[in-house]
Amino acid sequence: TATASAADAGSSDAPPVVENDADAPHNQIPRVEIAPGAHKYVLISAHAPTDPPEKRFFVVSKHGTQYHANAAEPFVYRLEEAGYHDIRVTGGGRINYQPADLSVNIFGYSYGFGLADHKLSKQIVEKDGRFVGYCVDWSNEGY
């Protein structure tokens, strides 16, 4: 963790202070948490408790959810507990995650949260090391 003195705080040459501790609670929450099968999903944005705050995105689905909010609420609670702030569900849709076929299909929308940025959701899934070799695609079609 880098620190700066009060005198350096006003200097434009001072490097930003960022919490890079891999064991910090906010770094323990995965960017992608999706359930196998076809389920409702949400795209969530939140600012990590770093200095300066880092905006992060999360792709979340949960088995057996009736509403998109049912997928979002437990995850939002975890983000709050880890110190995240300015947490927003930016939209929703469906994810069809088929581990046996190495495929993730992102599509549709949420009546309550609106259309998620599926292209961004795809990028987040592809950056997650657990999905290397998967075919990840997206469409704004369908419900």
Side-chain angles (χ1 to χ4, degrees):
T1 303
T3 59
S5 71
D8 292 336
S11 169
S12 61
D13 296 332
V17 179
V18 178
E19 176 62 62
N20 288 322
D21 182 3
D23 294 328
H26 66 273
N27 288 328
Q28 298 301 308
I29 298 179
R31 302 289 178 94
V32 178
E33 190 168 285
I34 56 177
H39 306 289
K40 294 178 180 178
Y41 98 95
V42 289
L43 177 62
I44 299 172
S45 70
H47 285 89
T50 56
D51 185 17
E54 177 189 346
K55 187 173 187 178
R56 297 180 181 177
F57 289 92
F58 302 88
V59 176
V60 180
S61 77
K62 190 173 175 190
H63 176 75
T65 56
Q66 185 173 1
Y67 300 104
H68 288 87
N70 300 132
E73 287 170 355
F75 199 85
V76 167
Y77 177 75
R78 285 175 51 203
L79 291 172
E80 289 171 340
E81 289 291 304
Y84 282 86
H85 56 94
D86 295 325
I87 302 167
R88 299 196 182 351
V89 178
T90 65
R94 305 269 188 294
I95 285 188
N96 187 356
Y97 168 33
Q98 298 299 324
D101 298 334
L102 300 178
S103 70
V104 178
N105 183 11
I106 305 166
F107 62 98
Y109 61 94
S110 163
Y111 280 116
F113 296 116
L115 179 66
D117 181 343
H118 299 324
K119 183 177 180 182
L120 176 58
S121 295
K122 173 187 176 188
Q123 292 169 347
I124 294 164
V125 171
E126 287 178 330
K127 284 182 186 176
D128 187 304
R130 295 171 294 168
F131 298 95
V132 171
Y134 275 69
C135 175
V136 182
D137 63 3
W138 68 275
S139 168
N140 285 335
E141 303 300 315
Y143 171 75

